[in-house]
Amino acid sequence: MERGYHVAIVGATGAVGLELLSILEERRFPVAQLSLLASKRSAGRTLCFAGAERSVQELTEQALAGVDFALFSASSSISKAFGPIAARAGAVVIDDSSAFRMDPNVPLVVTEVNPHALQHHQGIIAHPNCSTIPLVMVLKPLHLRARVRRVVVATYQSVSGAGARAVAELDRQSRALMTGEPASVSVFSHQIAFNCLPHIDAFGELGYTGEEWKMVRETHKILEDDSIRMSTTTVRVPVFRCHSEAVNIETEQKVSVQEVRHLLAAAPGVAVIDDPEKSHYPMPITVAGRDEVFVGRIREDLSHDRAINLWLVSDNLRKGAALNMVQIMERLCAETGR
Ligand SMILES: NC(=O)c1ccc[n+]([C@@H]2O[C@H](COP(=O)([O-])OP(=O)(O)OC[C@H]3O[C@@H](n4cnc5c(N)ncnc54)[C@H](OP(=O)(O)O)[C@@H]3O)[C@@H](O)[C@H]2O)c1
């Protein structure tokens, strides 16, 4: 055992859990002991970490004892049931479900945007939705420079955002349809292969879905500004990995396209790829596996002189999930030793 931390991954066998394993290894996070936790179904299965096979255990209260960092990535109900238990047992909980995001006592953190919020955590830190993260990373520098007044955003979200079963469903349906077989539907409400579903999470207030409300409320909490007016449409598309967003941003002061490019190119964790003449712009197939939020198609809004349009793409399993969680741990370790 090397010097380091006891890290538990709750949901280790899921889409985000597996990405957490590879990011911990890639970034050489000092893991002295690793607990891989999942449902009873996965108990005994092995996963590879740092060249060794490790057994998955069933998530129980006892399995959370002695843990320094508990990375929760299973579901809201699991986080609500076991997150407080882990925190009471002394772990710092980093939770990527929606269980605690809007709790006023729980910081909701994107490391490049509001790391200061980590200072007052009480054992549980929430990680935002995978569509909110890239959006706030792009809004923050513009808000600081010219105050963002209104945002209109439409998302194009990959199936991996809905977990490992959703990835398998797109794969299975695509193969079936290409060979003339019927596409069976189980995860989504309709066929996802060769289709787009304007429906992520349950429909709620005013005809907006839960995912659409999450983007609004989480953006307000992270940027600490409820006055930003927002309109959101979230769409599931038949892409395996990476979420894209078409964003219209209205600012109080006018900012030129050139200045927006400079501000975003200088923003931490953001990269600009914007050369339309050469057909250079971010796309899911080029952004998959990358850490940055990529932005392109930056242009003036033809209908408004203080608004711009842009296109962003971010790997939902990395910055939208596992990477931000590991970066939160890294910050805590750097600042407080934990
Ligand atoms: N996917 C993304 O891009 C993304 C981004 C941000 C946040 N999130 C959030 O991350 C969480 C996990 O998402 P995912 O995409 O990784 O889902 P997933 O692929 O469906 O994985 C779910 C994980 O939860 C485990 N689990 C299910 N029931 C359990 C139980 N009763 N006890 C313990 N573990 C249990 C599963 O274990 P078994 O294999 O044993 O069933 C699996 O490891 C969700 O809350 C999601 O909202 C996901």
Side-chain angles (χ1 to χ4, degrees):
M1 289 239 298
E2 57 180 280
R3 272 166 56 84
Y5 299 94
H6 181 175
V7 177
I9 302 179
V10 177
T13 53
V16 175
L18 295 175
E19 198 68 28
L20 274 167
L21 278 176
S22 70
I23 290 179
L24 286 172
E25 202 172 327
E26 213 177 272
R27 294 174 74 91
R28 297 176 189 276
F29 186 84
V31 177
Q33 194 178 338
L34 185 63
S35 297
L36 302 177
L37 307 174
S39 77
K40 201 173 180 173
R41 294 179 293 275
S42 300
R45 192 181 147 184
T46 57
L47 298 174
C48 187
F49 179 75
E53 292 295 320
R54 322 269 178 145
S55 280
V56 176
Q57 294 168 257
E58 182 184 356
L59 170 64
T60 58
E61 194 168 331
Q62 295 70 31
L64 294 166
V67 166
D68 296 310
F69 287 107
L71 308 179
F72 273 75
S73 185
S75 67
S76 284
S77 55
I78 299 285
S79 295
K80 281 182 190 152
F82 287 92
I85 292 173
R88 276 198 300 276
V92 174
V93 171
I94 302 171
D95 179 41
D96 82 350
S97 79
S98 57
F100 306 108
R101 287 179 190 154
M102 298 316 297
D103 182 329
N105 297 315
V106 173
L108 179 63
V109 176
V110 179
T111 47
E112 293 84 350
V113 177
N114 63 336
H116 58 273
L118 287 172
Q119 281 164 13
H120 306 294
H121 80 80
Q122 295 167 24
I124 300 182
I125 295 157
H127 162 100
N129 182 276
C130 42
S131 295
T132 308
I133 291 177
L135 181 65
V136 294
M137 287 176 68
V138 162
L139 292 181
K140 174 75 186 278
L142 303 179
H143 198 43
L144 283 178
R145 158 68 181 83
R147 191 161 176 256
V148 172
R149 292 178 58 157
R150 180 166 181 257
V151 178
V152 182
V153 54
T155 68
Y156 303 67
Q157 296 181 221
S158 69
V159 292
S160 57
R165 285 179 60 238
V167 172
E169 180 146 310
L170 174 59
D171 182 66
R172 197 175 52 245
Q173 287 182 353
S174 305
R175 289 172 197 278
L177 291 164
M178 292 301 285
T179 52
E181 299 295 320
S184 65
V185 172
S186 66
V187 175
F188 296 109
S189 45
H190 300 277
Q191 175 189 313
I192 182 64
F194 309 103
N195 200 11
C196 294
L197 307 176
H199 176 184
I200 303 182
D201 206 340
F203 283 100
E205 234 180 300
L206 300 172
Y208 285 77
T209 64
E211 188 85 348
E212 290 162 350
W213 279 113
K214 280 176 206 163
M215 287 187 78
V216 175
R217 293 180 176 133
E218 293 176 18
T219 298
H220 287 165
K221 179 166 176 177
I222 296 163
L223 295 182
E224 297 166 3
D225 190 344
D226 290 353
S227 73
I228 299 172
R229 304 187 68 198
M230 293 188 63
S231 195
T232 49
T233 305
T234 57
V235 182
R236 188 74 68 193
V237 296
V239 164
F240 283 106
R241 196 167 168 141
C242 290
H243 291 353
S244 307
E245 302 181 18
V247 194
N248 177 271
I249 305 165
E250 180 189 328
T251 49
E252 195 166 273
Q253 291 131 43
K254 185 172 171 62
V255 195
S256 70
V257 165
Q258 203 50 27
E259 192 180 354
V260 170
R261 263 198 205 106
H262 287 312
L263 287 167
L264 294 179
V270 178
V272 174
I273 301 185
D274 197 12
D275 192 350
E277 298 211 338
K278 292 188 182 145
S279 302
H280 287 173
Y281 33 73
M283 296 178 290
I285 57 167
T286 49
V287 171
R290 301 290 301 269
D291 288 348
E292 305 93 323
V293 172
F294 287 86
V295 184
R297 301 291 323 277
I298 303 169
R299 63 209 189 278
E300 278 182 17
D301 178 346
L302 297 176
S303 68
H304 195 296
D305 63 0
R306 282 178 290 99
I308 52 130
N309 287 310
L310 56 82
W311 170 254
L312 67 81
V313 185
S314 156
D315 187 326
N316 55 291
L317 294 176
R318 291 183 76 88
K319 189 60 199 174
L323 176 63
N324 193 57
M325 295 173 86
V326 173
Q327 287 172 318
I328 289 173
M329 280 200 302
E330 289 171 345
R331 274 215 175 238
L332 290 171
C333 295
E335 282 165 19
T336 64
R338 175 112 163 252

